[in-house]
């Protein structure tokens, strides 16, 4: 039987429906993908919130087609692709990811992904990728429609985590091109924090290392906050080396400000576009150089009140370089952000 010919037959019952797996740790992403599927193609849909569960479902035949995220807990999307290939599993994988670095796309395709789509995916692009697998629209019989799956509930923090994930990926793509390295992306942490909780989170993230920090305010559309970019001092010299920049007392702040412009600007622009807001960035401010996180907190304690905190830890592959971007939205901004997220959902 020719490759993909099983997709072309007319569906006559639910048993004939195509098993399709949506594998993404974000309930918002799964909901958006399910709603973006072509309505006239019957699928038997399963959902997995991490790569380990996704592999189990593929092995059990519940994922002949897989819509796969890359950044997931337990087993990430690259590892899922590798295991599908190594185990000879019958699955056609379409990667749908916020990590849009050229190297991420290359690696996914090298591991067997049939297509790579950027988040948030547009329904016509998803349909085109499915058509490229050899599928064709069918006139399904009434009993061939799979109504058994339910759209997952989406909390505000989960939705904002997904939006941050997409914005984070755009910033990484730009930074990766500037530094000519592959950026390993985490799952963003999103929490509503009291001042003491925020300070504890900063201490946990940075430990006892000496750090330098840049702060940049933003405002627009009823939303305001500060972006805090924290570098370990041990990483700054390595970053300067990647940029062929001589690092001395005068160039250290300039390098920090340049990196902040790239990382903070790209990430906030990504959030603004998704939320339909126009955020204006203020001038970056050097909060502290070569200090401990305790000293940074003591100097800036009055600035940080109850806040929506988004923490993103970037790491450079093959380099001992890591830095943290923390977006701090004011308490008054949360209601406006919730309204915008509800519109997206």
């Amino acid at each position: 039987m020719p490759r993909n010919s099983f997709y072309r037959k007319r569906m006559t019952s639910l048993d004939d429906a195509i098993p399709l797996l949506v594998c993404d740790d974000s309930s918002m992403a799964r909901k958006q993908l399910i709603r973006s599927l072509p309505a006239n193609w019957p699928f038997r849909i399963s959902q997995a919130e991490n790569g380990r569960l996704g592999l189990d479902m593929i092995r059990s035949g519940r994922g002949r087609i897989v819509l796969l995220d890359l950044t997931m807990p337990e087993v990430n999307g690259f590892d899922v692709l590798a295991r599908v290939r190594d185990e000879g599993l019958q699955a056609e994988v379409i990667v749908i990811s916020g990590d849009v670095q050229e190297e991420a796309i290359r690696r996914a395709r090298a591991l067997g992904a049939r297509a790579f789509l950027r988040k948030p995916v547009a329904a016509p692009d998803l349909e085109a990728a499915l058509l490229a697998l050899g599928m064709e629209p069918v006139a399904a019989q009434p009993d061939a429609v799979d109504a058994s799956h339910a759209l997952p509930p989406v909390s505000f923090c989960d939705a904002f985590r997904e939006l941050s994930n997409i914005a984070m990926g755009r910033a990484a793509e730009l930074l990766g091109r500037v530094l000519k390295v592959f950026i390993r992306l985490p799952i963003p942490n999103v929490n509503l924090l009291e001042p003491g909780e925020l300070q504890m989170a900063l201490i946990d993230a940075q430990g006892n290392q000496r750090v330098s920090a840049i702060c940049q305010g933003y405002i627009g559309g009823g939303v305001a906050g500060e972006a805090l970019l924290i570098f370990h001092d041990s990483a700054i010299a390595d970053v300067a080396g990647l940029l062929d920049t001589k690092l001395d007392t005068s160039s250290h702040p300039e390098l920090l400000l340049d990196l902040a412009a790239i990382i903070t600007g790209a990430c906030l622009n990504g959030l603004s576009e998704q939320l339909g807001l126009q955020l204006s960035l203020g001038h970056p401010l050097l909060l502290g150089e070569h200090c401990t996180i305790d000293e940074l907190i003591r100097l800036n304690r009055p600035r940080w009140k109850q806040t929506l905190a988004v923490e993103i830890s970037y790491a450079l592959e093959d380099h001992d370089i890591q830095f943290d971007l923390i977006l701090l939205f004011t308490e008054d901004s949360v209601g406006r952000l919730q309204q915008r997220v509800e519109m997206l959902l």
Side-chain angles (χ1 to χ4, degrees):
M1 182 179 296
R3 181 178 176 83
N4 297 327
S5 61
F6 80 97
Y7 294 133
R8 301 181 184 277
K9 64 182 181 180
R10 181 175 295 276
M11 303 301 167
T12 58
S13 70
L14 185 57
D15 290 339
D16 294 323
I18 299 166
L20 181 141
L21 172 65
V22 181
C23 186
D24 196 303
D25 62 298
S26 167
S27 56
M28 179 181 181
R30 297 197 305 273
K31 181 175 183 177
Q32 289 180 325
L33 284 173
I34 292 170
R35 293 173 65 176
S36 298
L37 288 167
N40 59 333
W41 294 352
F43 293 109
R44 188 167 66 253
I45 298 173
S46 299
Q47 301 178 51
E49 60 190 26
N50 60 58
R52 179 182 58 79
L53 293 174
L55 281 167
D56 289 342
M57 292 183 180
I58 295 170
R59 293 180 183 116
S60 66
R62 296 168 65 184
R64 295 297 298 271
I65 296 176
V66 181
L67 308 183
L68 179 69
D69 186 26
L70 291 179
T71 307
M72 294 186 294
E74 298 196 37
V75 178
N76 66 36
F78 293 115
D79 290 336
V80 170
L81 283 165
R83 295 189 194 182
V84 166
R85 179 197 61 190
D86 295 344
E87 296 179 27
L89 301 176
Q90 296 299 307
E92 305 277 11
V93 181
I94 298 172
V95 169
I96 302 175
S97 177
D99 186 351
V100 294
Q101 299 175 81
E102 288 186 5
E103 179 62 12
I105 297 171
R106 187 199 67 77
R107 291 182 185 187
R109 289 191 175 278
L111 288 168
R114 298 294 303 281
F116 190 109
L117 303 179
R118 298 175 174 228
K119 287 184 173 181
V121 70
D125 293 337
L126 180 55
E127 182 173 4
L130 292 167
L131 284 169
L133 297 181
M135 295 184 58
E136 294 177 353
V138 296
Q141 300 298 317
D143 63 346
V145 177
D146 180 10
S148 63
H149 66 273
L151 293 175
V154 182
S155 69
F156 169 71
C157 281
D158 181 86
F160 212 78
R161 184 179 300 109
E162 177 63 8
L163 299 178
S164 301
N165 172 61
I166 294 170
M168 168 188 76
R170 295 181 184 181
E173 192 275 333
L174 178 57
L175 183 64
R177 280 194 283 113
V178 171
L179 298 179
K180 298 180 176 60
V181 295
F182 181 64
I183 312 294
R184 295 199 305 271
L185 298 182
I187 298 169
N189 290 319
V190 177
N191 295 287
L192 288 165
L193 299 177
E194 299 290 341
E197 295 174 315
L198 171 60
Q199 292 157 21
M200 288 301 299
L202 291 173
I203 292 171
D204 288 343
Q206 303 301 324
N208 295 320
Q209 300 187 59
R210 302 194 73 80
V211 299
S212 298
I214 298 286
C215 179
Q216 195 163 9
Y218 51 87
I219 190 169
V223 171
E226 294 181 327
L228 181 63
L229 191 60
I230 303 176
F231 293 91
H232 296 165
D233 279 4
S234 60
I236 294 298
D238 292 331
V239 172
L242 290 173
L243 292 171
D244 293 325
T245 299
K246 183 180 179 181
L247 193 64
D248 53 33
T249 304
S250 61
S251 63
H252 184 270
E254 183 179 350
L255 176 60
L256 292 176
L257 293 172
D258 288 343
L259 290 172
I262 295 171
I263 300 164
T264 304
C267 196
L268 284 172
N269 284 339
L271 275 175
S272 298
E273 290 176 13
Q274 295 176 85
L275 292 167
L277 298 171
Q278 186 64 47
L279 294 176
S280 298
L281 282 169
H283 292 293
L285 172 67
L286 187 62
L287 292 185
E289 285 187 274
H290 317 300
C291 61
T292 66
I293 200 68
D294 285 329
E295 292 170 324
L296 188 66
I297 290 171
R298 179 176 53 80
L299 292 171
N300 297 279
R301 191 186 307 273
R303 327 170 56 94
W304 299 326
K305 301 180 175 64
Q306 185 181 50
T307 183
L308 171 68
V310 180
E311 182 187 354
I312 301 168
S313 295
Y314 292 94
L316 277 59
E317 186 174 72
D318 299 327
H319 297 273
D320 188 20
I321 301 174
Q322 182 172 329
F323 46 89
D324 292 289
L325 173 64
I326 303 175
L327 304 179
L328 305 172
F329 294 87
T330 64
E331 183 179 4
D332 293 339
S333 300
V334 174
R336 178 61 170 161
L337 293 171
Q338 289 173 330
Q339 291 176 359
R340 302 306 296 183
V341 167
E342 284 297 324
M343 292 177 62
L344 289 175
L345 294 174

